[in-house]
Amino acid sequence: MSLSVEKAIRKAQSHINAEEFSEAEELYKQVLLKFPKNKKAIQGYQKLKAGVTCKGASSLRLPDEQFQELDNLFNQWQFEELLAKIKPLISLFSKDIDLYNIQGAANAALGKYDAAIESYKQAIKIRPDYADAYYNMGVTLQKKGELDAAIDSYKQALKIKSDYADAYYNMGGALKEKGDLDAAINSYKQAIKAKSDYAEAYSNLGNALRDKGESDAAIDSYKQAIKIKSDYAEAYSNMGVALYDKGELDAAIDSCKQAIKIKSDYAEAYYNMGVALKEKGDLEAAIDSYKQALKIKPDYEIARVEKLHQQAQICDWAAIEEDRDLLPLLGTVSQCISPFSFMQLEDAPERHRLRSELYAKEKYPQKPLSLAIKPSQKPKRLRIGYFSSDFRQHSVAHGIVNIFASHDRDRFEIYGYSFGPDDGSELRQKLIKAVDVFDDVKEMKDRDIALLARQDEIDIAIDLNGYTNKNRAGIFAYRAAPIQAHFWGSASSMGTDSIDYYIGDYMRIPKEYEHGYSESIIRLPYWIQAKYDKDAVSDLPMTRADMGLPGEGFVFCCFNNSYKISSAEFDIWMRLLNKVSGSVLWILKSNKSMEQNLQQEAKKRGVAAERLVFAERVPHPVHLARQRLADLLLDTFNVNAGVTAGDALWVGLPMITKIGKGHNTRICGSLLKAIDMPELITETEREYEALILDLATNPERLSSIKRKLADNRLSKPLFNTDLFTKHLEAGYQQAYQRHFDGKNPANIYVNEQPKPLP
């Protein structure tokens, strides 16, 4: 050693000050080799190895025993104490990247995401190739909802460490959350490539494949996960959902049971099993399964809503009342639920809108495709694209087919996009012939369907589903057309900026309740019920006796689905039966439990069970014909009759309705207005009951009502498809004119005699 001992020690300190630690360590070693008892060299070397310099600056890392103490605090979830201990240590060990990493993890665990991200950035600043810090920052950004930034952070980690399986796995989750299923699937596959026994990646790959509609591939992926990890409850539960999607209900139930066998407190598996049991028709068992989910997880809102919906299906009103105080909060604060399944539980348009907004935000996060440049001239013919899962033997198809055929082909070109099953029915063939272009797109992804509509240069895209079963709202989240509207499907707002207009009428959406809609409203003067073909009503002879009805006496009827009936209507109906001697209530039979429950409820109200007559489901032509045997149709409150009401009015059966606030509670009022029979519309329960009693006990007035109904059937707007289509087209033209003029969507009021825009 050429330097003297003192010079060597001073030189070592200079290296430390310059953060040249390896050079300082080498100098101390050289001194100690010759002078092993030199106190200054010993102390200097010990401080260097311990990480403390004579200036208090940081060295390489915290001693292992201290780091272990911090790690123990983290594992015991003592994050505040951990952060308190880290703070002074960082001032001493400012170059210890692991300290910053654990500080970031503790902050993230406490929800202090910005502080956590800053810690990870400090670690990366010290060591730019620190893959774990990039990964952890990605996790934190993902928790913040900053998905693009999270994905970029994972990509940085993968640049440094190309076989980083967890980074691929988490990036797959972020991509799936963004709605980019193909990229998510590829990311999960890369995770599996890097780590062949990655059970969680197989399971989440299955989830992405299932969301894409590839149920068979999803099931194979779940099976791989279970092969690796035989007690993987989540994979069994998710496989149950995929089996349900395929219609293999027994297998789905068995898979959920296996999940529960492994994990007895698995609320989601109980919920998934409930869904399969419901589809199988075992409603009581489904309700029990939802109850088990709620016993484990009392704030599981979607399970509670499904339980309530099935309890409504079986008319178990006492059970519904137990949850009555919870209704306003369900789906309106933090957890999303299906808006459609809640409609019958309350008449509250503003809360239905909140439910739709939460649902849309969680289910459809897709970023819209950029819009094409607006044309310099208006097209000669507007291209209208109708999108539906129900272009088959379905009430929607029955209602819409004549509108398609009635469109003015000089001004409109009509496209149909079907993403539902092809049932080969005559009605589907009629639909195909009624449009200019028909595309079966059920095998296509939402984004590709939106791109197809862009390619077809659709001017106005019409969603006929809303949030009903088998909807594809994601198509509209991507923006299939510059103008998008919801028509016909569900009665609530879509709760999203991607839908510009809601098509209704003056009765269904009065101005005082339009705050329940995020969309601008296109108000038509009247609504429509599809005109029935000549052979739509069966000509088979039938008597009351054939239907199980008494030969004499007044026949009240309600052919609404059972979930629409509540104790409020039933109380009134039973009072009417008690007041009208020899009368019966003819109700559509939905399920065995509903029948038994209603009979018990009738007895509680002093009405013999046999005065309830349950109608079996029959082919539609027979159903239309048999309604002529009844005297008066009684509507339900929170969800009115829809097609059922039109059926009755077509065959000459008058009906009484009570209007409320929401669209669902004003459907029949709209139909009665369109057939010019406002005298059958009531506004309170007292008016509803009094009018029904008057007609049931005043044969002359009832006969007069029936004569007026017969006269109005074809002379008033309700069944006038051509007039309705003209009104609808006027709404389309006005919406397009606003777009062409560079104006935002706004409420549109269509007059009774619309004039074409110049």
Side-chain angles (χ1 to χ4, degrees):
M1 181 178 178
S2 57
L3 293 175
S4 69
V5 172
E6 287 298 323
K7 285 183 178 180
I9 292 173
R10 285 197 297 272
K11 184 68 173 176
Q13 186 59 55
S14 297
H15 282 306
I16 290 171
N17 293 342
E19 298 188 354
E20 297 167 349
F21 302 112
S22 58
E23 288 86 345
E25 183 178 359
E26 183 60 31
L27 282 171
Y28 281 130
K29 284 181 178 179
Q30 290 179 23
V31 171
L32 291 170
L33 280 172
K34 287 191 173 184
F35 306 101
K37 294 184 180 181
N38 186 288
K39 290 184 179 180
K40 287 184 178 180
I42 292 170
Q43 290 173 352
Y45 183 71
Q46 286 176 338
K47 287 180 180 179
L48 174 64
K49 297 303 290 181
V52 182
T53 70
C54 59
K55 282 190 172 182
S58 170
S59 79
L60 297 176
R61 61 174 288 117
L62 185 72
D64 288 344
E65 61 272 13
Q66 284 186 273
F67 195 86
Q68 186 61 51
E69 181 186 359
L70 297 178
D71 197 40
N72 289 338
L73 288 171
F74 186 89
N75 291 331
Q76 294 166 16
W77 290 33
Q78 295 181 33
F79 304 120
E80 295 286 7
E81 184 179 346
L82 171 63
L83 289 172
K85 284 185 176 292
I86 281 180
K87 190 173 181 180
L89 291 173
I90 281 182
S91 66
L92 295 172
F93 300 90
S94 61
K95 298 298 181 181
D96 190 331
I97 55 175
D98 290 332
L99 263 182
Y100 286 110
N101 202 24
I102 198 168
Q103 183 188 46
N107 275 314
L110 290 169
K112 299 176 181 178
Y113 298 135
D114 290 333
I117 290 166
E118 188 57 38
S119 294
Y120 298 133
K121 285 181 177 178
Q122 286 295 326
I124 292 165
K125 188 176 179 181
I126 296 165
R127 182 177 159 191
D129 65 345
Y130 194 7
D132 287 346
Y134 276 114
Y135 167 80
N136 288 334
M137 186 160 67
V139 172
T140 307
L141 288 162
Q142 194 169 346
K143 287 178 180 177
K144 273 191 78 180
E146 297 180 14
L147 299 179
D148 288 328
I151 291 165
D152 287 342
S153 200
Y154 294 134
K155 285 180 178 178
Q156 287 295 328
L158 289 163
K159 275 185 182 179
I160 298 162
K161 188 178 177 183
S162 61
D163 62 347
Y164 201 158
D166 287 343
Y168 276 120
Y169 173 80
N170 273 34
M171 187 163 69
L175 289 162
K176 182 174 179 290
E177 197 173 343
K178 274 190 71 180
D180 193 346
L181 292 177
D182 286 331
I185 288 165
N186 181 63
S187 198
Y188 288 131
K189 286 181 177 178
Q190 289 295 327
I192 291 164
K193 186 177 178 181
K195 184 181 176 184
S196 60
D197 63 346
Y198 204 160
E200 292 77 11
Y202 272 114
S203 183
N204 278 347
L205 171 62
N207 293 342
L209 289 164
R210 191 188 75 229
D211 286 353
K212 197 181 172 187
E214 298 180 14
S215 298
D216 288 328
I219 290 166
D220 288 341
S221 197
Y222 295 133
K223 286 180 178 178
Q224 284 295 326
I226 292 164
K227 188 175 179 181
I228 295 165
K229 188 177 177 183
S230 60
D231 62 346
Y232 199 170
E234 288 79 5
Y236 274 113
S237 181
N238 291 335
M239 186 162 67
V241 177
L243 289 162
Y244 167 84
D245 291 340
K246 287 189 68 182
E248 298 179 16
L249 300 180
D250 288 330
I253 292 165
D254 287 342
S255 195
C256 291
K257 285 181 177 178
Q258 188 63 37
I260 292 164
K261 185 177 178 181
I262 296 165
K263 187 178 177 183
S264 61
D265 62 346
Y266 197 175
E268 289 77 10
Y270 276 112
Y271 170 79
N272 290 338
M273 185 164 68
V275 172
L277 287 163
K278 173 193 71 176
E279 189 70 17
K280 197 179 175 186
D282 195 345
L283 303 189
E284 296 275 10
I287 290 167
D288 286 342
S289 200
Y290 296 136
K291 284 181 177 178
Q292 285 296 324
L294 289 164
K295 189 176 180 181
I296 298 162
K297 192 176 176 182
D299 64 344
Y300 196 177
E301 292 189 9
I302 190 171
R304 192 171 300 279
V305 170
E306 282 299 319
K307 175 186 74 75
L308 287 165
H309 190 66
Q310 298 316 308
Q311 287 169 333
Q313 291 278 18
I314 66 172
C315 298
D316 187 355
W317 302 320
I320 293 172
E321 283 304 309
E322 292 175 3
D323 289 337
R324 179 65 61 184
D325 292 343
L326 299 175
L327 297 187
L329 296 177
L330 293 177
T332 62
V333 180
S334 58
Q335 297 181 42
C336 86
I337 63 169
S338 168
F340 185 72
S341 65
F342 203 89
M343 299 299 291
Q344 83 282 358
L345 292 170
E346 65 173 1
D347 179 19
E350 64 286 349
R351 288 200 288 271
H352 290 319
R353 173 179 173 171
L354 288 173
R355 292 182 182 103
S356 292
E357 287 173 344
L358 269 177
Y359 187 79
K361 184 178 180 180
E362 179 164 328
K363 297 294 184 181
Y364 305 106
Q366 296 92 325
K367 184 178 180 181
L369 299 167
S370 57
L371 285 172
I373 298 172
K374 187 179 66 179
S376 58
Q377 291 185 333
K378 288 192 298 182
K380 181 181 177 182
R381 296 198 299 168
L382 289 180
R383 292 189 176 186
I384 311 297
Y386 290 95
F387 298 73
S388 180
S389 66
D390 299 322
F391 289 154
R392 52 192 169 95
Q393 193 63 48
H394 191 279
S395 60
V396 169
H398 177 73
I400 206 79
V401 64
N402 291 330
I403 295 173
F404 290 174
S406 295
H407 272 302
D408 182 351
R409 289 316 200 264
D410 290 334
R411 295 184 298 149
F412 296 91
E413 190 173 357
I414 307 305
Y415 286 67
Y417 299 91
S418 172
F419 44 81
D422 178 357
D423 61 357
S425 65
E426 183 179 337
L427 181 55
R428 183 177 174 90
Q429 292 308 309
K430 190 176 177 182
L431 276 160
I432 293 172
K433 291 177 183 177
V435 299
D436 299 295
V437 179
F438 186 89
D439 278 306
D440 188 334
V441 295
K442 65 177 175 292
E443 300 300 331
M444 294 174 64
K445 295 180 291 187
D446 290 351
R447 187 174 187 275
D448 291 337
I449 297 172
L451 286 170
L452 175 62
R454 294 287 190 88
Q455 181 181 313
D456 292 338
E457 298 181 344
I458 297 300
D459 297 302
I460 303 177
I462 307 296
D463 178 11
L464 292 172
N465 273 84
Y467 291 135
T468 58
N469 192 31
K470 308 297 183 185
N471 77 79
R472 298 281 293 273
I475 296 167
F476 304 94
Y478 281 117
R479 267 283 165 189
I483 303 168
Q484 301 191 139
H486 175 47
F487 175 45
W488 205 277
S490 55
S492 64
S493 170
M494 296 292 285
T496 171
D497 292 340
S498 64
I499 301 295
D500 306 300
Y501 292 98
Y502 188 99
I503 300 173
D505 67 289
Y506 291 87
M507 171 61 80
R508 293 182 186 219
I509 310 177
K511 196 163 184 63
E512 60 265 34
Y513 298 127
E514 68 182 26
H515 62 278
Y517 292 82
S518 60
E519 305 88 342
S520 296
I521 311 298
I522 297 178
R523 283 187 176 84
L524 309 181
Y526 300 105
W527 204 249
I528 188 180
Q529 178 66 33
K531 189 182 292 186
Y532 296 77
D533 295 332
K534 292 180 180 178
D535 58 353
V537 184
S538 173
D539 57 3
L540 291 173
M542 59 184 70
T543 65
R544 282 189 169 189
D546 294 332
M547 298 295 128
L549 298 167
E552 301 294 332
F554 199 91
V555 176
F556 299 106
C557 71
C558 177
F559 292 121
N560 288 359
N561 285 317
S562 58
Y563 72 86
K564 297 182 180 182
I565 303 171
S566 75
S567 59
E569 299 96 319
F570 199 75
D571 285 342
I572 293 170
W573 297 346
M574 294 304 98
R575 286 198 295 270
L576 290 164
L577 289 183
N578 280 323
K579 291 174 183 177
V580 181
S581 179
S583 61
V584 296
L585 177 62
W586 196 15
I587 309 177
L588 184 65
K589 183 177 181 179
S590 294
N591 56 78
K592 189 66 178 175
S593 296
M594 164 260 199
E595 187 176 349
Q596 293 171 348
N597 285 337
L598 288 188
Q599 287 172 336
Q600 289 297 320
E601 293 292 339
K603 289 177 184 177
K604 290 178 186 176
R605 292 160 175 81
V607 176
E610 55 268 22
R611 293 182 69 185
L612 303 185
V613 180
F614 293 91
E616 299 289 341
R617 293 185 182 273
V618 295
H620 194 243
V622 176
H623 173 63
L624 285 170
R626 72 179 174 181
Q627 290 186 87
R628 292 169 172 161
L629 301 172
D631 294 300
L632 191 62
L633 184 73
L634 310 182
D635 197 16
T636 46
F637 296 162
N638 282 350
V639 182
N640 288 176
V643 173
T644 301
D647 289 347
L649 295 173
W650 181 256
V651 299
L653 176 62
M655 63 175 302
I656 308 297
T657 190
K658 180 188 81 68
I659 58 173
K661 293 183 283 187
H663 182 297
N664 259 345
T665 71
R666 304 175 70 88
I667 294 170
C668 288
S670 173
L671 300 183
L672 288 168
K673 179 191 173 190
I675 205 167
D676 192 23
M677 299 196 72
E679 63 268 35
L680 300 180
I681 303 171
T682 65
E683 296 186 6
T684 67
E685 292 182 14
R686 180 176 291 182
E687 289 177 7
Y688 173 85
E689 183 173 353
L691 180 56
I692 295 170
L693 182 61
D694 183 44
L695 292 178
T697 55
N698 189 337
E700 290 185 5
R701 187 181 180 194
L702 182 60
S703 294
S704 174
I705 291 288
K706 288 184 176 180
R707 286 193 299 271
K708 182 179 178 181
L709 176 56
D711 292 340
N712 288 6
R713 188 181 67 158
L714 296 181
S715 64
K716 299 301 178 182
L718 180 59
F719 296 105
N720 189 335
T721 305
D722 290 339
L723 177 61
F724 179 85
T725 306
K726 287 178 182 177
H727 293 155
L728 184 63
E729 289 174 346
Y732 290 162
Q733 285 182 307
Q734 291 184 51
Y736 188 81
Q737 185 69 54
R738 289 194 65 84
H739 166 70
F740 187 78
D741 292 341
K743 296 178 180 178
N744 292 327
N747 288 344
I748 291 171
Y749 301 88
V750 177
N751 296 324
E752 292 189 19
Q753 294 182 340
K755 296 179 181 179
L757 294 172

